[in-house]
Amino acid sequence: MLSKIKPLLSDVKTYWKIPLPGRYMTFKEIIAYAGGGIGAYFIITMASRLIVSTTNLLVSGAVGISLTDMYVLYLISTFANIPLTAVRANMVDNSRNRAGKYRPYLLTMGIPTAIISLVYVWFPYESLYTWFPNPIFGMEGGYFVKLVLVLIFNLLLQFFFNFFNDAFTNLIHVLSPNTQERTDVLAVKAVVYSLAPSIMNIITPIVAKRIADNNVYDIAVLRFTYPFFAVFGIALTIFIFANTSEKIIQARSRVVQVRFVDAFKEVAKNKYFWIIALAGWLGFLEGAYSSILEWSVTFGHVGDGDQLALIYTITGNASLWGMLLAPVAVRRFGKKKVLVGVNLMNVICILAMGIRKESLIWLTVCIYINYLFGAFEQILSPAIQADIRDYHQYKTGVRVDGMFATVATIGGMVTLITSSVLPFVYESYGIYEGNGYGTGGLGILDINTGEPGLLPKVMNALIVMAAVGAFLNVVPYFFYDLHEKQQKGIVRALKIRAMFEDYGNGVTNNKTIIEAIDIIRDAREKVNSELVAVDKSMGKKERSAAKEANEEIEISRLVCAELEKFEKGIDKIKYEESLTFYQGGLMGLYELKKEDILTELASARELPKATAEEKEYRKYRIDTAKNKLSARKAIDKYYGTPESFVQPGYEELDRLFDREDELNAELKALYEAKAAAKKAKDSYALKDIGEKLKAYEDERKEIQKATKAEMDKHAFFARAAKPYLDAERIVKEKENTTHFEEIAAKYDEAKAAEEAELQAQLEEAKRLEAEKAEKAAAIKAEKVAAKAEKKNR
C-alpha cells in the first residue's frame, strides 16, 4: 500500500498545475472538480427533490398536492421545458464566453437554483387558505393558489436547475478528450460528490425523528435542513469554477455559429444518442421501488428515523465501491458489457426485494447490492455521453453539446404518457389527496391508522413495475457498438484535423503540432504490423501487453484511414463533387433554381441502396440536395440581389467582442470601487461612480445589440450558403493534408519550445514551493523567538 501511495503523492506534487504525460487534467483540477462536486450535488439534490414528477412523493406529502394534480403540473412543466431546453442548448453551443461552454453557468445558474429551492420550501403555504378563503375555479382558493405557486417554482427550476445540472454533469466532456481519463476522473468525482446526497439522506431522517415524528415528508424538515445545504453548495461550486479549465479539440481558428435547426437535425441523426435516450425512456418504471424503504419506516413502522439514517449510511457505502470498481471494469470489459451486466443485476436485486419486503434488514441488503451496481451507471452514463459527442464532432465536423439535451427533452414527450402509469396505480389503490388520510393521501398506507393490508400490496406492485422498467432499460444497450478503441481513434483523428485546419488558416501552437505529428508517425509505423495472438498460456503482464499492442495497431489503422480517406471510396467522391461545386463559387449556388434542386433530390432518392457504400452515397446525395433546397429558401428570404450575397468578415464581430470585454472589465472595477466608496461613506465618489456605471452599462447594451445584429448576419449567411461552406470545408480539409511535410519540419522546433516551457513551469513550481517552505520556516523561527522572549520575560 505504501509503495503505491508514495509515488502517487509525489505525482500529485509534481503535476499539481501541469497534467500527467498523455493526460489533460492537473491534480488541482481533479480535486476541484471532485471536491467541489459535493457542493454542486447539495444544490442538485435539493432542487431535484422539488421538481414535480409522478414519482416525487416529497412535494405531494410536504406541500400537500394530490398525485393527480401532480401529474397535471408535470405535464405543464414538461411542455414548458421544451423551449427552455432549446434556449439553454443554443446558449451553450454558441457560447463565446472565455470561461468556456459550461463553467460560466455553474455560478449564474447554480446560485439562483439554491435561492429558488429555499423560497420553494419556506413559502407559508399554510397561510394560503386564510388569504384565499373563497373557491377559485371550483377548488379551494388556498389550494388553487398553492398549485399555481408550485407550478411557478417548478418552471423556474426547469430552467435554472436543469441548466446548472447540465453544466456540472457535462463539464467533464470538455475537461478532457481522453475517454479513459474521463472515466477515471468520473470515478473520483462520483466517490466524492456522493457524500452530498449521503449526508442529506443521513441528516433528513434524524431531523425528521426529532421535529416531525419520523415523517420525512414534513415540510418542516426541509425548512430546517435546506439553508445549510445551500450555503455549502454555493461555496463549493465557486471552488469548481475557480480551479478548472475547458479543453475542446477543434481548430483554434474555427468560429462555429450553430443554427438551432441544423444542430437539431444533426443530433437527431446520431444513432448512439437515440440508443442512450431510448434506454432512459423505456426504463421509466425502474425508479418505482425507490420509496419502498421510506414507506416501510414511515408507514410500516418497522424502524425509526435514526435506523433509516443508519441504513442510508450503509447503502451509500455501496455506491462508493461501485464507483471505485467502475473504471477497473471498463478497462477489463468495455463500457457496453459493463452497462448490460449491471442493469441485469439491478433487475435481479429489485425482484429479490419482494421475498421479504417486511424485513428492514432484507430490504437493506437488496438495496445495498442494487446501489452497488447502480453506481457503475453513474460513472458510465456521463462517460458515454462524452464519447457520443466526440463521435458527433467526428462525423459532422461541428461540436454541439447543448442540443443533445434539447432533442432528449423533445423525445421525452414519450414520458408524458408513460409517467401517467404510477399515478394511475396509486389512485387505483386509493392513494390520492382528499382520501381522508393526510400526508397528500399517503397516510392510507399506514398499518396503524390507514387501510389494513394495503401497504404490502402496493409494495408488491411497485417491485414488479420497477423490475419490468429495469429490464426494458437494458435492451437498447445491446445495440451500442461504439467501442473504446474506436473512440480513441476518433479523438486522434480530431487532433489531426484540428492541426491541419489551424495550419491552413495560419494559426498554430506547439502542443497541437507535437501531438498530431506524434500520432501520425506512430500510426504509420504500426499500421502494417500483424496482430499478436493472445491466449491463456501467456502470463498476466504479457497478455495485457499483447492486448494493448493490438489495440494500438487497430487504432493506427483508423488514423491512417483518416489520413487517406480522400484517396478512395465515398470520401473521394465527396471531395470531387465538392471541388466542382466549390469552384462554381457563391454565384453558382445563388443561381441554382428550385426546380433543378427538386430534380436532383428525386434522382438521389432513386439511387441504389443494396450495399453499405451505396446507402452511404445515396444518403449523402439526398442530404446535399436537401441542404441546397434549404439554402435556396434562405437566399430568397435574406438576399434579394446577387451583390448582397457576400460572406461577412469577422473584423466587426471581433471589434464588438473586444469592446464588450473591455466594458465588462471596467464595470467590474467600478462595482468594486462602489463597494469601497459605500464602506467609506464617500457620497461624491458614489455619485461619480454611479454616472460612469450608467454610461458603461448603456454602451454595453448598445454593443450587445450590435453584436446580435452582426451575429445574425453570420447566421443568415451560414444558412443560405451551407452547401457552399460544406464543400469549402471538405476541399480545404483535403488540401490542408498536403502540408504534412511542412508541418513536420517544424516538429523539432515545436518540441524544443514545448519542453522549454514545461521545464520553465516545473522550475516555477519548485521556486514557489521553496518560497513557501522558506516563509513557513521564517514563521516558525519567529514563533520560536517569540516563545523564547516570553519565557525570558
Side-chain angles (χ1 to χ4, degrees):
M1 180 73 75
L2 287 173
S3 66
K4 292 182 179 180
I5 290 175
K6 286 181 179 178
L8 176 61
L9 292 175
S10 176
D11 282 346
V12 169
K13 186 177 179 181
T14 305
Y15 298 103
W16 180 251
K17 291 187 178 180
I18 56 174
L20 283 159
R23 296 277 175 139
Y24 295 83
M25 295 180 68
T26 65
F27 279 104
K28 181 182 179 182
E29 278 188 293
I30 294 169
I31 290 171
Y33 184 52
I38 297 174
Y41 255 77
F42 273 138
I43 297 173
I44 289 170
T45 308
M46 283 170 57
S48 63
R49 290 179 175 180
L50 299 175
I51 290 284
V52 168
S53 72
T54 55
T55 58
N56 189 346
L57 301 178
L58 181 65
V59 174
S60 178
V63 181
I65 305 291
S66 76
L67 293 171
T68 303
D69 289 335
M70 285 275 286
Y71 180 60
V72 174
L73 294 177
Y74 169 70
L75 288 176
I76 298 171
S77 297
T78 301
F79 279 116
N81 192 36
I82 293 173
L84 292 178
T85 308
V87 171
R88 298 199 306 268
N90 214 35
M91 289 171 67
V92 168
D93 288 332
N94 291 298
S95 173
R96 70 167 200 86
N97 196 307
R98 291 180 179 180
K101 278 179 176 273
Y102 293 114
R103 285 178 62 247
Y105 302 115
L106 293 176
L107 303 184
T108 56
M109 298 295 158
I111 295 173
T113 299
I115 294 171
I116 293 165
S117 298
L118 290 176
V119 176
Y120 197 146
V121 299
W122 271 96
F123 194 89
Y125 299 103
E126 315 85 37
S127 302
L128 291 174
Y129 294 91
T130 305
W131 297 344
F132 301 93
N134 299 320
I136 302 175
F137 296 113
M139 299 182 190
E140 287 184 86
Y143 183 73
F144 178 81
V145 175
K146 187 195 296 184
L147 290 177
V148 173
L149 285 169
V150 170
L151 177 61
I152 291 170
F153 288 136
N154 269 272
L155 291 178
L156 290 171
L157 287 178
Q158 288 287 2
F159 183 77
F160 289 100
F161 161 66
N162 285 324
F163 210 142
F164 174 68
N165 190 23
D166 287 346
F168 176 70
T169 303
N170 295 332
L171 182 60
I172 188 61
H173 302 167
V174 291
L175 289 179
S176 171
N178 183 320
T179 185
Q180 188 59 55
E181 181 178 20
R182 285 193 295 236
T183 303
D184 293 342
V185 173
L186 281 169
V188 175
K189 181 197 84 167
V191 168
V192 179
Y193 82 64
S194 62
L195 287 171
S198 296
I199 291 168
M200 295 176 78
N201 286 336
I202 292 167
I203 291 175
T204 300
I206 292 174
V207 172
K209 179 181 178 180
R210 282 149 182 82
I211 69 172
D213 192 25
N214 290 314
N215 186 358
V216 294
Y217 300 117
D218 195 310
I219 198 166
V221 177
L222 304 183
R223 288 173 176 171
F224 184 87
T225 56
Y226 268 32
F228 298 101
F229 299 145
V231 171
F232 283 108
I234 291 170
L236 289 173
T237 300
I238 293 171
F239 181 59
I240 301 174
F241 175 82
N243 294 284
T244 55
S245 63
E246 297 187 14
K247 310 160 195 77
I248 299 176
I249 297 180
Q250 62 180 13
R252 289 156 61 89
S253 54
R254 174 169 293 232
V255 178
V256 181
Q257 286 290 319
V258 184
R259 182 187 168 218
F260 174 85
V261 176
D262 292 336
F264 181 87
K265 287 179 180 177
E266 291 299 334
V267 170
K269 295 175 186 176
N270 189 317
K271 67 175 184 178
Y272 298 115
F273 163 79
W274 288 112
I275 288 171
I276 303 302
L278 191 60
W281 300 334
L282 291 178
F284 68 98
L285 291 173
E286 186 175 356
Y289 80 94
S290 60
S291 56
I292 287 177
L293 189 61
E294 287 180 354
W295 284 6
S296 296
V297 174
T298 304
F299 305 120
H301 304 290
V302 295
D304 59 26
D306 291 343
Q307 289 173 320
L308 188 58
L310 176 61
I311 290 169
Y312 281 137
T313 305
I314 294 169
T315 53
N317 177 259
S319 298
L320 166 66
W321 296 111
M323 292 167 186
L324 291 175
L325 291 170
V328 179
V330 168
R331 283 191 183 90
R332 179 81 182 270
F333 305 108
K335 296 186 185 73
K336 176 181 176 177
K337 289 181 180 178
V338 174
L339 269 173
V340 171
V342 298
N343 275 283
L344 289 176
M345 286 304 300
N346 283 341
V347 176
I348 296 170
C349 291
I350 291 170
L351 286 173
M353 293 173 74
I355 297 174
R356 290 193 63 195
K357 56 185 176 295
E358 70 284 353
S359 168
L360 197 58
I361 294 175
W362 178 251
L363 288 178
T364 302
V365 170
C366 292
I367 291 173
Y368 184 93
I369 300 172
N370 190 290
Y371 281 10
L372 175 66
F373 289 107
F376 279 74
E377 202 159 356
Q378 293 180 42
I379 306 297
L380 292 173
S381 181
I384 284 179
Q385 288 288 348
D387 289 351
I388 65 175
R389 282 160 171 75
D390 290 338
Y391 168 81
H392 184 82
Q393 184 183 352
Y394 172 73
K395 295 295 286 185
T396 66
V398 178
R399 179 85 187 191
V400 291
D401 289 278
M403 197 55 62
F404 280 90
T406 302
V407 182
T409 303
I410 294 172
M413 296 293 288
V414 176
T415 60
L416 290 178
I417 300 171
T418 58
S419 294
S420 64
V421 175
L422 273 177
F424 174 78
V425 171
Y426 289 141
E427 196 149 337
S428 68
Y429 282 102
I431 305 171
Y432 54 87
E433 174 73 11
N435 62 5
Y437 288 96
T439 316
L442 291 170
I444 196 174
L445 296 171
D446 198 301
I447 61 171
N448 294 332
T449 59
E451 187 76 25
L454 183 60
L455 180 61
K457 291 179 183 178
V458 177
M459 289 170 70
N460 278 336
L462 294 182
I463 288 169
V464 172
M465 291 167 64
V468 171
F471 177 75
L472 291 175
N473 180 58
V474 74
V475 173
Y477 288 119
F478 286 105
F479 302 94
Y480 184 84
D481 60 356
L482 182 60
H483 300 294
E484 279 66 22
K485 63 185 174 188
Q486 186 180 353
Q487 196 277 338
K488 289 178 182 177
I490 285 171
V491 169
R492 293 183 193 184
L494 290 175
K495 289 180 180 180
I496 292 168
R497 288 183 191 178
M499 179 195 71
F500 281 130
E501 185 174 349
D502 274 340
Y503 191 82
N505 291 324
V507 180
T508 57
N509 68 73
N510 295 328
K511 187 174 182 179
T512 301
I513 291 175
I514 293 166
E515 280 190 326
I517 296 297
D518 281 341
I519 289 168
I520 293 170
R521 287 175 174 172
D522 186 62
R524 286 177 172 173
E525 183 181 327
K526 294 175 180 176
V527 67
N528 295 319
S529 302
E530 293 292 330
L531 294 174
V532 180
V534 181
D535 56 55
K536 293 181 180 179
S537 63
M538 292 179 170
K540 185 178 179 181
K541 288 185 178 180
E542 187 182 359
R543 188 164 60 250
S544 177
K547 286 180 179 178
E548 188 176 334
N550 286 343
E551 183 181 83
E552 284 298 316
I553 292 169
E554 293 185 55
I555 292 173
S556 295
R557 291 171 182 174
L558 291 172
V559 170
C560 289
E562 167 71 19
L563 292 169
E564 299 164 3
K565 66 181 182 180
F566 292 117
E567 306 302 323
K568 56 187 176 182
I570 182 69
D571 286 304
K572 182 180 180 182
I573 296 171
K574 283 183 183 179
Y575 168 71
E576 291 170 349
E577 294 184 0
S578 296
L579 181 62
T580 302
F581 190 79
Y582 177 63
Q583 287 172 341
L586 280 172
M587 286 304 101
L589 172 61
Y590 190 90
E591 292 167 1
L592 280 177
K593 293 182 171 56
K594 184 178 179 180
E595 298 76 19
D596 294 335
I597 300 172
L598 290 171
T599 302
E600 182 182 338
L601 180 59
S603 300
R605 284 174 172 156
E606 292 174 2
L607 289 169
K609 48 182 178 179
T611 66
E613 283 193 358
E614 286 176 347
K615 285 179 183 177
E616 187 179 359
Y617 180 64
R618 179 177 177 273
K619 181 179 179 300
Y620 160 70
R621 290 292 301 274
I622 290 172
D623 289 345
T624 300
K626 285 181 177 179
N627 286 338
K628 289 178 181 177
L629 201 59
S630 297
R632 181 69 266 166
K633 291 178 184 177
I635 289 170
D636 292 340
K637 184 176 180 179
Y638 301 117
Y639 301 95
T641 63
E643 293 76 21
S644 63
F645 192 40
V646 179
Q647 184 167 8
Y650 285 97
E651 296 80 10
E652 178 62 12
L653 202 56
D654 287 338
R655 184 190 70 78
L656 291 169
F657 284 164
D658 289 341
R659 181 54 187 157
E660 186 179 352
D661 289 337
E662 289 171 5
L663 287 170
N664 287 335
E666 292 285 353
L667 285 166
K668 182 181 177 183
L670 283 171
Y671 278 117
E672 289 173 354
K674 184 179 180 181
K678 271 186 179 180
K679 191 175 181 181
K681 296 181 181 179
D682 188 341
S683 57
Y684 293 105
L686 281 171
K687 183 181 177 182
D688 182 55
I689 292 169
E691 291 173 356
K692 287 181 179 178
L693 279 172
K694 187 179 183 308
Y696 282 144
E697 283 173 348
D698 288 343
E699 185 183 354
R700 184 169 65 174
K701 286 178 183 176
E702 291 301 315
I703 289 289
Q704 289 172 341
K705 186 178 177 181
T707 300
K708 185 181 182 304
E710 190 66 23
M711 289 181 76
D712 284 344
K713 288 182 186 178
H714 287 265
F716 295 153
F717 180 80
R719 193 178 306 174
K722 188 176 188 312
Y724 173 81
L725 294 175
D726 286 346
E728 180 184 48
R729 177 177 59 81
I730 291 172
V731 170
K732 287 191 174 181
E733 187 180 345
K734 166 69 167 66
E735 289 176 353
N736 286 338
T737 59
T738 62
H739 297 300
F740 175 72
E741 296 303 329
E742 298 171 35
I743 301 171
K746 298 177 180 292
Y747 176 84
D748 291 336
E749 180 184 338
K751 188 79 171 175
E754 185 71 9
E755 287 176 354
E757 184 179 347
L758 180 61
Q759 187 61 36
Q761 289 176 347
L762 288 171
E763 291 297 330
E764 178 65 10
K766 287 179 182 177
R767 186 189 67 77
L768 291 172
E769 191 67 30
E771 190 177 294
K772 184 179 176 182
E774 188 178 333
K775 285 180 180 178
I779 291 169
K780 186 177 179 180
E782 285 177 10
K783 286 181 179 179
V784 170
K787 190 175 179 181
E789 186 180 347
K790 185 179 179 181
K791 187 178 179 181
N792 290 335
R793 283 204 300 269

